[in-house]
Amino acid sequence: MELKPFLRNLPAFEAYNDQYTDALVAALEVEDCPDGFVFVHQGGYGGAMFIILEGSVGIIRRDRPNETDYDVRDLREGEIFGLLSLVDDMPAAATCVAHGPVKIAALTQDGFHSLFQSAPPICHQLQFMIAVQLARDLQEQNEFLRRHMVQ
């Protein structure tokens, strides 16, 4: 699989020129992961953002009051997860596990920081995506608190 055309077909990266796309490709590390591979545990620190190139990744959240795990959703080819790992010391909101063999492209924190030099517009896009993820997580937490508020 050629990474550059794959990225150019993703809505998050389709508008960028070759210079910026090439910089992103250079910053990514492609890896094959086996079934059951845990990318990050909820509350832990992931160290990388991932783009799914092939396969499926399950997102699992643990409900703290009753310590029950529940499946949030399955992510497929082209989807991105682990965005919050690009923010220093930001714990993961969920556990991410490979469902079957998975090929991913990983962007580490170091890669993200160096990407600012060669492709600032892509980094700005990733920062926007991080902000959206944080807003969604906050909305979800607020809704959870409303449902479980003791009157």
Side-chain angles (χ1 to χ4, degrees), residues 30-127:
V30 176
E31 301 174 29
D32 290 306
C33 303
D35 180 31
F37 181 83
V38 178
F39 294 93
V40 64
H41 288 281
Q42 182 174 334
Y45 301 98
M49 173 204 82
F50 302 98
I51 303 169
I52 302 172
L53 304 176
E54 296 172 3
S56 173
V57 173
I59 307 300
I60 303 163
R61 264 215 192 112
R62 177 162 284 227
D63 184 13
R64 291 293 178 208
N66 61 18
E67 295 297 315
T68 301
D69 289 340
Y70 62 95
D71 294 330
V72 176
R73 64 183 289 224
D74 283 338
L75 302 176
R76 306 252 180 247
E77 182 178 298
E79 293 191 89
I80 297 171
F81 67 98
L83 275 164
L84 297 183
S85 69
L86 298 178
V87 179
D88 293 341
D89 299 323
M90 181 67 68
T95 298
C96 304
V97 180
H99 287 171
V102 176
K103 181 182 289 263
I104 53 93
L107 179 64
T108 64
Q109 280 186 358
D110 289 340
F112 179 61
H113 293 297
S114 66
L115 193 58
F116 267 105
Q117 302 304 312
S118 55
I122 287 183
C123 289
H124 293 148
Q125 171 69 20
L126 291 171
Q127 287 177 321

Side-chain angles (χ1 to χ4, degrees), residues 9-31:
N9 284 321
L10 298 180
F13 307 115
E14 67 187 357
Y16 298 103
N17 65 32
D18 284 342
Q19 173 191 349
Y20 295 142
T21 306
D22 289 341
L24 178 59
V25 167
L28 293 170
E29 300 171 13
V30 176
E31 301 174 29

